[in-house]
Amino acid sequence: MAYEVAAPKYVRLAQTIQSRIEDGTYAPGTRVPSENQLVQAFGMSRPTVVRALELLKRDGWLESRQGFGTIVRGRPAVVEQRSRRGRETLERDESQTPGRLVSVDRVSVPARVASVLGLSKRAEVLMRRFLVEGEGEAVELVSSYFPAGLVDGTDLGSSEPLGVGIREHLEGRKKVRYDHVTERVSARLADAGEAELLGLPDGVPVLSVLVAAFDAAGQALQVSDVLLPADRQELEDTYRLN
């Protein structure tokens, strides 16, 4: 049995406000609606609204200005930097990307993926694994996981490379809408199969970027584990000092 885990109300509200900032509804430099207006507009309690606004301020989308209220700052530079990996993963055309589709299998969901997809640890998911290559060596290994119910009626289970990005394919076939992406970066040692595909010497770690894509309601549509050989990466980040 699969269990769906909904995001907290304040997170869903923050995601909605963030989407309105990104689509220009709330333009940079303008004031967002007051707490009272947000309470009435979304039918949520004041504590929920306050927590959502604080989350957006913490992440750099909003700021409080004395005498002006809560102002839109726009898309934070740190989000712009970090979202590129996720965007590449969702929009990559496998048929035009140097590399190869390694495998397409139904597998037991890995623990690190199960909690994000809202599935039990015994659930089965579809995994597409693609090895990206460049200048004669492996660049990254992408393992993408999809809930079984989302795969029906799509070409995700095909052993042929997709001719469009996963996002475009799913939005066209399943009428879902990708809304936002989260990324979690960690370091670990590759298992034997991963090390072989990436051509890693013994003891060389990998950077794991866990990319999770959600719809506007906070439901996870896919999770991709992007493995990057640590000895071939230079990562740069940008952030604001408040």
Side-chain angles (χ1 to χ4, degrees):
M1 178 182 294
Y3 298 89
E4 294 188 357
V5 181
K9 287 183 178 180
Y10 77 93
V11 173
R12 299 202 300 272
L13 176 57
Q15 292 166 348
T16 299
I17 296 173
Q18 177 184 318
S19 295
R20 294 189 178 187
I21 294 172
E22 293 187 295
D23 68 18
T25 302
Y26 301 149
T30 63
R31 289 192 299 179
V32 296
S34 67
E35 292 177 7
N36 285 337
Q37 290 172 323
L38 291 173
V39 167
Q40 294 174 5
F42 293 99
M44 295 186 177
S45 67
R46 182 177 296 276
T48 297
V49 169
V50 170
R51 289 191 71 183
L53 294 176
E54 289 302 318
L55 180 61
L56 291 166
K57 291 174 187 176
R58 186 201 69 186
D59 289 346
W61 294 91
L62 304 175
E63 66 177 333
S64 295
R65 292 184 187 173
Q66 187 68 30
F68 290 92
T70 301
I71 305 298
V72 177
R73 295 181 68 176
R75 188 176 180 83
V78 64
V79 174
E80 193 67 44
Q81 291 287 335
R82 290 180 179 172
S83 66
R84 291 174 185 169
R85 183 71 61 183
R87 185 178 295 114
E88 290 173 0
T89 300
L90 299 179
E91 298 180 357
R92 176 178 290 120
D93 180 340
E94 294 174 346
S95 67
Q96 299 298 318
T97 300
R100 57 191 173 93
L101 186 61
V102 176
S103 61
V104 180
D105 297 298
R106 291 186 179 270
V107 300
S108 296
V109 60
R112 65 185 180 281
V113 175
S115 59
V116 181
L117 289 177
L119 300 175
S120 70
K121 294 181 180 180
R122 296 181 180 178
E124 189 177 78
V125 294
L126 179 78
M127 180 188 73
R128 286 183 72 87
R129 175 166 283 179
F130 192 89
L131 182 68
V132 181
E133 299 173 327
E135 298 183 356
E137 65 178 3
V139 175
E140 61 186 63
L141 180 64
V142 184
S143 300
S144 296
Y145 301 89
F146 306 89
L150 194 63
V151 174
D152 295 338
T154 74
D155 293 335
L156 293 177
S158 170
S159 59
E160 296 297 322
L162 289 178
V164 296
I166 290 174
R167 174 184 179 181
E168 181 179 347
H169 183 70
L170 276 177
E171 287 186 339
R173 290 292 185 88
K174 302 295 289 188
K175 307 305 179 184
V176 296
R177 181 180 181 275
Y178 282 65
D179 183 76
H180 60 282
V181 171
T182 65
E183 298 180 16
R184 187 172 71 230
V185 182
S186 60
R188 64 176 175 85
L189 291 176
D191 63 32
E194 294 166 344
E196 181 178 359
L197 287 168
L198 289 169
L200 294 178
D202 291 341
V204 174
V206 292
L207 294 179
S208 169
V209 184
L210 199 65
V211 178
F214 300 84
D215 63 18
Q219 178 64 48
L221 301 174
Q222 78 175 75
V223 175
S224 297
D225 191 8
V226 183
L227 297 187
L228 309 167
D231 61 343
R232 306 169 201 166
Q233 302 300 317
E234 290 185 7
L235 300 181
E236 180 178 339
D237 205 351
T238 303
Y239 58 92
R240 289 190 175 100
L241 296 175
N242 294 319

